[in-house]
Amino acid sequence: LVAEITGSAQHVADICAGTGSLSVAQWAKNSNVRIEAEEFSRAAVAVLLFNYGVRNARAIVKHTDCLTGEVFAAWQLTPGDRFSDIVAIEHQQIDVPKADVVVSNPPYFDAARGAVAQTESRGLARSDEACTLPQLCAAAGRLLRYGGSFCLVFRAERMPELFACLKGCGMEPKRLRLVQNTAQAAPKLLLLEA
């Protein structure tokens, strides 16, 4: 659904990329798209590299900490004969232009409210303890070209907080789609373009 909203962008940045489902969906619409992906989980980065490499995609993948901006490692993927060639690069050498579209399916549970996950990896995947909503919006603003779009999946119950963070980073909601399990159910998720 997010790929429908984003159109056929030429350069996509995927923050809190996880295993890359949003940017892979964008790649499926346009196999010439340039992808820049940022992810904190080392295990997810390995899957992310595989997902792009097996599709012969052009990408920059950064293992990074959104809290500090520290880049632990980076790789460049370039299309090969059948699969992408993957080369480790110095993150200081990365010169990536601003993105047309920034996509994100971040961890959307507030770490300060509610139950905490039993394992650290599950906690990082589900709560915003490693990347808060203000940090996510600031990262999107940093990566996005003027006039570009920030598209994300988020919890519907946190919509007011999301709108306030976007406004604080100079972005305004443009399109919104609420997602619910059934026609009678309350919306649980939202898809937003800002």
Side-chain angles (χ1 to χ4, degrees), residues 66-190:
C66 195
L67 284 172
T68 64
E70 180 181 3
V71 177
F72 307 114
W75 298 266
Q76 182 169 359
L77 290 82
T78 52
D81 291 334
R82 189 165 171 206
F83 304 110
S84 296
D85 295 321
I86 302 173
V87 177
I89 58 174
E90 292 294 324
H91 65 274
Q92 296 89 348
Q93 298 173 344
I94 299 172
D95 183 27
V96 180
K98 300 278 188 174
D100 302 321
V101 173
V102 174
V103 296
S104 188
N105 184 8
Y108 26 70
F109 292 103
D110 186 341
R113 293 183 277 191
V116 178
Q118 297 296 330
T119 64
E120 181 181 357
S121 62
R122 186 156 172 85
L124 289 173
R126 295 179 51 85
S127 74
D128 62 2
E129 64 185 279
C131 181
T132 65
L133 186 54
Q135 291 165 329
L136 177 75
C137 292
R142 174 179 48 82
L143 296 169
L144 196 57
R145 71 166 173 77
Y146 181 78
S149 296
F150 177 34
C151 300
L152 78 154
V153 180
F154 209 66
R155 294 290 292 188
E157 67 206 31
R158 293 184 69 190
M159 190 185 320
E161 180 185 359
L162 172 61
F163 284 13
C165 285
L166 288 168
K167 187 171 180 75
C169 291
M171 293 180 272
E172 294 288 336
K174 301 290 188 235
R175 288 196 286 176
L176 174 69
R177 180 182 289 178
L178 297 173
V179 180
Q180 54 203 80
N181 292 338
T182 66
Q184 296 77 28
K188 295 231 180 217
L189 297 176
L190 63 84

Side-chain angles (χ1 to χ4, degrees), residues 23-59:
S23 47
V24 166
Q26 192 68 39
W27 175 88
K29 291 178 66 174
N30 174 9
S31 62
N32 292 318
V33 68
R34 273 189 337 266
I35 301 167
E36 179 182 359
E38 296 184 358
E39 174 55 42
F40 179 74
S41 165
R42 187 181 327 207
V45 167
V47 178
L48 187 60
L49 288 166
F50 173 81
N51 279 340
Y52 294 153
V54 75
R55 288 171 173 80
N56 207 15
R58 175 181 293 111

